[in-house]
Amino acid sequence: MSNALRARPAATPKANEVDYTDPKYWNGLIKMSLSKFFILCVLNRQRMHGYDITKAVEDTTQGCCSPTPGALYPVLKEFEAGGYVTVEHEVVGGRQRKVYAITDRGREAFRVAVQAWTEVGACITAGGKDACCG
C-alpha cells in the first residue's frame, strides 16, 4: 500500500480548537439551540420573569434543557434587541422584576422554529444518518 493511502492517526485537537468527537460539544450545541426554542415556546404560552422561564423550560423538557442565568439572560437580551420579546418592570413582593412577553415577531419566529425542528426531527427519525446524509 502506498504511503498516500495509509490511514493517518487522528490528531488531538489543540486547547483552543473544538473537539468534534466529544459528545459534550454536540450536547451543548443542541441544548443551546433547544434552549432558545423552548424559551420562545414557554413565552408563547404566557409572560413571565426569568426564574419562571427557567423552571418552565426545565419542566417542558423534563429536565433536558435547563438554561442557567448565564445562558438565559443573554438570550433574552438578544430576543429583546431583535423585537422578539418585550420587557416590563413589575414590583412583586416588594422586589422589582423584569417580566418578558413574546411579541408578534417572536410568535412568528417560534412558528418558523417549530417547522424547522419538525423537519430536522423527521429527518433523524426517518432512518438516522442514511436519511439525512446518505
Side-chain angles (χ1 to χ4, degrees):
M1 178 183 308
S2 75
N3 287 340
L5 297 177
R6 287 191 188 151
R8 293 184 181 153
T12 303
K14 295 179 178 89
N16 61 345
E17 293 180 336
V18 175
D19 182 358
Y20 293 108
T21 65
D22 185 350
K24 290 178 188 174
Y25 167 78
W26 294 104
N27 287 336
L29 181 67
I30 291 165
K31 286 182 180 183
M32 175 56 80
S33 296
L34 282 174
S35 288
K36 286 183 177 186
F37 174 84
F38 281 110
I39 290 166
L40 288 176
C41 176
V42 299
L43 287 173
N44 194 47
R45 294 184 205 147
Q46 68 182 58
R47 55 197 291 280
M48 33 181 119
H49 64 83
Y51 177 76
D52 285 343
I53 294 170
T54 297
K55 288 299 296 167
V57 168
E58 193 172 90
D59 292 346
T60 300
T61 65
Q62 299 176 353
C64 175
C65 294
S66 182
T68 63
L72 175 66
Y73 291 105
V75 169
L76 289 171
K77 192 172 201 154
E78 180 183 322
F79 284 167
E80 181 185 9
Y84 302 100
V85 301
T86 59
V87 181
E88 294 178 14
H89 296 270
E90 290 184 353
V91 177
V92 178
R95 295 180 55 203
Q96 188 168 349
R97 292 183 175 167
K98 290 182 179 181
V99 178
Y100 299 87
I102 197 167
T103 64
D104 288 341
R105 181 176 171 93
R107 282 186 189 83
E108 175 63 12
F110 179 63
R111 185 193 66 71
V112 170
V114 168
Q115 182 177 349
W117 278 106
T118 299
E119 290 172 8
V120 168
C123 174
I124 291 170
T125 58
K129 67 176 182 136
D130 292 335
C132 296
C133 308

